[in-house]
Amino acid sequence: MASFQLRQFHFFKRESLDDLPEAFKQPELSLCSNGGDLIFTADSDGSIHIVNRSFIVRSFVATSDVPGTRITQMLHIHEARTLLTIEENVSTASSRPIIKLWPVDKLLRQTDVQPVTVKYQPPSSTPHPLTAVAATPSISQIALGFAGGHIVLIRGNIAKSKSTKQRTLHVAPEPVTNLHFVTDATGTATTLFATTTAQTLAFDTSGSKSDPSILEER
């Protein structure tokens, strides 16, 4: 009978850090994102901390002074050097999510940086938590997914908050759990993949077609 011996492959070099930056010691860290050579963390006080390879930290307050306001989602768009944050008041069910775009290069150099607030209309009169967000590398499209099943697409010059259009791509009977854009090599065809608690869907967001392709129904 042949005997087999498992081989170990070490793809990563592990190094223990004796002195972590204070940004990693926050007891109420709620979110983390990364891109390029930067790590982004958010805490329950509404502050965001940017950590580089040398563990130098830049911190700023990303929310308003309203009690109960938190950063509930955070996405670093590496190609555009932009940080997207979702701000919500977790103390009230009627809170409307606020979408902000932060220029990362300015955050690393300056203080008191003002973000671009993305304008949009809630997809229904009944407030629902925003459960998923995605953006294309150029930020020409942003997709929003809600607990009420709505998937909303925003298109245009979003980074400049100009000439944007919004439409509801789909209304599912269950919550949206994840969104992700994929653009082909030519940059002309863009597909939005979406998952709910019951389905996996795909939308062609390059044109006017809005009917989804159902990839899986379980």
Side-chain angles (χ1 to χ4, degrees):
M1 182 177 178
S3 61
F4 298 92
Q5 184 177 2
L6 295 177
R7 298 181 62 188
Q8 291 186 345
F9 296 90
H10 299 282
F11 296 102
F12 302 96
K13 180 181 179 181
R14 185 175 66 179
E15 181 179 350
S16 298
L17 301 175
D18 297 327
D19 188 18
L20 286 173
E22 290 297 323
F24 289 135
K25 300 178 182 178
Q26 298 289 337
E28 297 295 335
L29 284 181
S30 55
L31 294 170
C32 184
S33 183
N34 72 293
D37 57 352
L38 300 173
I39 295 175
F40 303 84
T41 64
D43 60 36
S44 60
D45 292 331
S47 294
I48 291 178
H49 314 279
I50 308 174
V51 187
N52 66 11
R53 287 182 180 271
S54 301
F55 293 100
I56 298 174
V57 181
R58 296 277 297 197
S59 301
F60 67 99
V61 178
T63 60
S64 64
D65 296 331
V66 178
T69 302
R70 300 285 187 274
I71 299 296
T72 57
Q73 295 196 52
M74 182 168 59
L75 173 66
H76 180 231
I77 308 165
H78 174 60
E79 295 83 353
R81 299 288 289 178
T82 300
L83 184 67
L84 185 154
T85 60
I86 305 295
E87 176 183 327
E88 295 184 78
N89 191 325
V90 297
S91 63
T92 174
S94 60
S95 172
R96 175 179 174 177
I98 299 174
I99 307 170
K100 296 179 180 180
L101 299 175
W102 302 86
V104 172
D105 290 333
K106 287 186 177 180
L107 291 173
L108 294 173
R109 298 192 310 263
Q110 306 173 16
T111 59
D112 195 27
V113 175
Q114 298 301 313
V116 171
T117 300
V118 179
K119 298 178 181 179
Y120 74 99
Q121 293 296 324
S124 68
S125 57
T126 302
H128 291 287
L130 198 158
T131 52
V133 63
T136 57
S138 62
I139 323 182
S140 60
Q141 299 184 43
I142 289 179
L144 308 175
F146 293 84
H150 294 80
I151 299 176
V152 173
L153 178 69
I154 305 171
R155 301 181 65 174
N157 192 354
I158 302 173
K160 301 293 185 181
S161 192
K162 297 178 180 179
S163 303
T164 59
K165 296 182 179 180
Q166 171 183 326
R167 63 188 173 110
T168 299
L169 290 179
H170 188 65
V171 182
E174 62 277 338
V176 179
T177 56
N178 199 17
L179 297 169
H180 183 71
F181 280 107
V182 174
T183 304
D184 69 354
T186 64
T188 57
T190 302
T191 302
L192 173 66
F193 292 92
T195 60
T196 71
T197 55
Q199 291 182 321
T200 301
L201 309 167
F203 302 84
D204 179 3
T205 64
S206 304
S208 58
K209 180 183 177 182
S210 59
D211 294 334
S213 299
I214 300 177
L215 305 181
E216 193 172 33
E217 293 189 281
R218 60 178 180 177

